[in-house]
Amino acid sequence: MGGSLSLVPVLDYFARRECLGAGLRQNAVTLPYPDGGAGATCTIQYWAPQGEPQLPPLLLVHGFGPRAAWQWRCQVGPLSPHFHVIVPDLLGFGGSSYPFETAPPPTEATQAAVLAALLDALPGMEGRRVAVAGTSYGGFVAYWLARAAGAARVGPVVIASSDLLKTAADDRAFLKRAGEGWGGVDDILLPAEPAALRKLLELASYRLPPRLMTPDFLLRDFIQKLFTENRERLVHILKGITVGTDKFQVTPISQEVLIVWGDHDQLFPVEKAFAVQRALNGSARLEVIKKTGHAPQLEDPARFNKVMLDFLTASHKPDPSANPSSQ
């Protein structure tokens, strides 16, 4: 009987409840797919308040893994009184889809272009200046969106646990930290067995749940629902990542930037936070959150939310060019 127990629907329920409690509603929009040729489309599922923004808009971009609502569930409530919060599933994650059978894998530039199109498609959002926060893979996308769209479209930027400077050497160091027995980074990032998921949790978390609370059958269920059922699509997305190549060059951007990192992050060690700060000409503000790993927004949401709110409320003011009736 134990093998039939699944926590995935339970976690999905709590994430949805947080979004609904914050006044967000789930919706989807069909948009042109930039890399798919004439007539190709994609679907973006997102959470957002109904109607036109009454507060400064804020886009939350999730990382590689579970759907957006899971990764930002501890932020939507505290942020929604201050911002018009928009939480999309990136292409290939959650309820968002693209023609991966026929189209090339989406790069960070592709994801950013689709997010820009999403913003223009939302009520009262066309041309509105929006703050952007991205975690991990979502930080790659957030940075690209800010650089491509410019400061007139994208305001302050939060880069959380996101090594914009990742290289092949960093992948080798990651495998060394993981120990022997792994053929590549994908073996851990896309776990197929409970041992791989445990290793991923170990490297990503500061506080691991007791092993008795994570029996193999529960981990297999997570793997089946979050990775196995979407494996072909997730592998496709991994192939599209351009960080560490000539296609993704990190240069300073004109927006104000906050970098947030967990001091025990073993996926992207904290020293990379200082390297990213230097690559942005040292002008970015850096906050290291103690006793957290790769997801400080989940391990210490109170501290993460305070840091983020302090930064955004000081730098993300209502857009003076917006329609006064939507202020």
Side-chain angles (χ1 to χ4, degrees):
M1 291 182 58
S4 64
L5 177 65
S6 174
L7 289 182
V8 173
V10 177
L11 293 175
D12 196 43
Y13 165 78
F14 281 110
R16 292 178 62 86
R17 191 177 72 168
E18 292 291 340
C19 290
L20 291 170
L24 310 186
R25 297 296 180 266
Q26 193 174 51
N27 212 327
V29 61
T30 299
L31 300 166
Y33 184 60
D35 297 342
T41 62
C42 58
T43 298
I44 295 293
Q45 184 169 277
Y46 64 93
W47 290 89
Q50 293 180 317
E52 298 189 4
Q54 304 299 311
L55 295 167
L58 170 62
L59 180 70
L60 300 179
V61 189
H62 67 85
F64 198 94
R67 63 192 64 205
W70 287 32
Q71 297 189 39
W72 292 113
R73 65 185 183 274
C74 297
Q75 282 64 58
V76 290
L79 292 174
S80 61
H82 307 275
F83 302 101
H84 183 89
V85 178
I86 305 162
V87 191
D89 286 328
L90 290 170
L91 293 173
F93 298 92
S96 296
S97 61
Y98 70 100
F100 76 92
E101 301 92 342
T102 57
T107 65
E108 298 90 340
T110 307
Q111 298 276 18
V114 171
L115 290 183
L118 168 67
L119 293 174
D120 284 341
L122 298 181
M125 279 297 299
E126 186 173 3
R128 284 289 298 269
R129 195 165 186 258
V130 58
V132 178
T135 179
S136 194
Y137 172 74
F140 304 163
V141 177
Y143 168 80
W144 193 280
L145 176 61
R147 194 174 75 176
R153 186 71 169 98
V154 174
V157 180
V158 179
I159 303 293
S161 312
S162 184
D163 184 7
L164 303 178
L165 304 171
K166 188 179 78 68
T167 65
D170 291 310
D171 286 343
R172 291 193 292 272
F174 170 78
L175 286 174
K176 186 174 182 180
R177 290 191 297 275
E180 297 181 357
W182 309 105
V185 172
D186 294 6
D187 289 353
I188 300 172
L189 295 183
L190 295 176
E193 298 293 339
L197 182 52
R198 280 202 178 87
K199 179 57 65 174
L200 178 60
L201 293 172
E202 175 189 323
L203 293 168
S205 308
Y206 174 72
R207 297 180 185 87
L208 277 173
R211 191 179 180 95
L212 286 176
M213 295 178 61
T214 55
D216 282 1
F217 74 85
L218 276 183
L219 295 183
R220 286 195 183 95
D221 179 67
F222 268 91
I223 290 168
Q224 175 64 29
K225 290 184 170 61
L226 300 183
F227 298 101
T228 304
E229 293 177 3
N230 304 312
R231 192 171 191 86
E232 185 179 357
R233 187 170 55 183
L234 294 174
V235 169
H236 199 243
I237 294 168
L238 278 177
K239 292 178 179 177
I241 294 176
T242 62
V243 166
T245 73
D246 292 340
K247 295 181 180 179
F248 196 109
Q249 296 293 318
V250 178
T251 58
I253 55 178
S254 58
Q255 293 92 337
E256 294 183 68
V257 179
L258 168 67
I259 301 169
V260 188
W261 225 276
D263 67 340
H264 283 73
D265 189 347
Q266 294 189 73
L267 269 66
F268 297 150
V270 69
E271 56 264 26
K272 297 306 297 283
F274 295 93
V276 171
Q277 185 187 39
R278 290 191 297 271
L280 297 174
N281 277 358
S283 59
R285 173 181 164 187
L286 173 59
E287 291 281 348
V288 177
I289 300 183
K290 295 182 178 179
K291 297 182 179 180
T292 63
H294 189 61
Q297 79 272 19
L298 299 178
E299 289 197 280
D300 191 349
R303 176 62 181 160
F304 185 95
N305 293 344
K306 183 180 187 308
V307 167
M308 191 166 166
L309 272 171
D310 287 349
F311 170 73
L312 290 175
T313 54
S315 55
H316 189 38
K317 306 299 183 183
D319 185 352
S321 65
N323 188 330
S325 67
S326 67
Q327 295 280 324

